[in-house]
């Protein structure tokens, strides 16, 4: 069952279509990150049979896991894949249901914008201070953190596209 946040494909505006393409591309990158985790963990498992190791599997897998999560947010929302508590929503009808939908979307947009702002500040701090991971490869922390910012920004764009699309249809 498709989410009520998802408009029929033929009735979408230009912004929604553009954001949809971006969300889909990030969804593909999210899937590739999961494949990357599989490859690096399997490689590590094989290497351990020969008393060898990549020594960075946990770090790289962690970065790829975060990338998979954050890059997949907008696509998951677009496809109606988020889990929600439906006990009240399913019982609501008419204007109450529409009001609940608007409340959820506006609250999600405000929350996402706030988290995005905090994350951008954190990435800027990490970049300015040149903080690095305490590991063999000493990854500059702003690099994996930037993927989190990108994912949140695209999620916010998806929420804004939904809002714009619904406002566009108001008679």
């Amino acid at each position: 069952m498709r989410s009520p946040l998802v408009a029929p494909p033929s009735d979408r505006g230009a912004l929604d279509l553009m954001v949809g393409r971006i969300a889909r591309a990030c969804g593909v990158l999210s899937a590739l990150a999961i494949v990357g985790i599989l490859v690096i963990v399997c490689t590590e498992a094989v290497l351990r049979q020969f008393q060898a190791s990549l020594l960075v599997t946990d770090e790289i897998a962690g970065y790829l896991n975060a990338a998979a999560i954050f890059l997949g947010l907008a696509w998951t929302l677009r496809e109606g894949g988020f889990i929600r508590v439906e006990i009240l929503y399913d019982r609501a009808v008419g204007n109450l249901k529409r009001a609940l939908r608007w409340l959820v979307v506006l609250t999600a947009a405000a929350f996402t914008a706030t988290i995005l702002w905090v994350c951008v500040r954190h990435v800027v701090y990490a970049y300015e201070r040149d903080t690095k991971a305490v590991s063999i490869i000493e990854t500059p922390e702003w690099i994996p953190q930037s993927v989190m910012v990108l994912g949140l920004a695209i999620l916010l764009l998806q929420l804004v596209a939904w809002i714009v699309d619904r406002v566009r249809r108001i008679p």
Side-chain angles (χ1 to χ4, degrees), residues 40-55 57:
I40 196 167
V41 169
C42 287
T43 302
E44 182 71 18
V46 169
L47 287 174
R48 286 188 181 185
Q49 298 304 311
F50 300 100
Q51 284 70 47
S53 176
L54 296 173
L55 301 176
T57 300

Side-chain angles (χ1 to χ4, degrees), residues 4 17 25 59 64-66 76 84 106 113:
L17 291 172
E59 182 178 0
L64 289 172
N65 189 43
T76 303
R84 65 177 184 198
L106 292 173

Side-chain angles (χ1 to χ4, degrees), residues 89-142:
Y89 187 79
D90 284 348
R91 287 176 171 70
V93 293
N95 288 335
L96 177 59
K97 192 169 205 164
R98 279 188 286 283
L100 283 173
R101 188 176 306 147
W102 275 99
L103 177 66
V104 167
V105 171
L106 292 173
T107 302
F111 180 77
T112 302
T114 303
I115 296 299
L116 176 60
W117 178 71
V118 169
C119 288
V120 166
R121 290 185 55 201
H122 191 72
V123 169
V124 168
Y125 176 86
Y127 180 78
E128 289 175 348
R129 301 283 194 278
D130 194 29
T131 59
K132 296 184 187 318
V134 182
S135 67
I136 294 171
I137 55 177
E138 295 183 337
T139 308
E141 288 183 345
W142 67 269

Side-chain angles (χ1 to χ4, degrees), residues 10-29:
S10 61
D11 198 24
R12 292 185 170 161
L15 175 64
D16 190 54
L17 291 172
M18 179 197 67
V19 172
R21 285 188 205 104
I22 295 169
R24 182 174 175 80
C26 285
V28 169
L29 290 174

Side-chain angles (χ1 to χ4, degrees), residues 80-93:
F82 278 125
I83 296 170
R84 65 177 184 198
V85 178
E86 295 181 348
I87 191 165
L88 293 176
Y89 187 79
D90 284 348
R91 287 176 171 70
V93 293

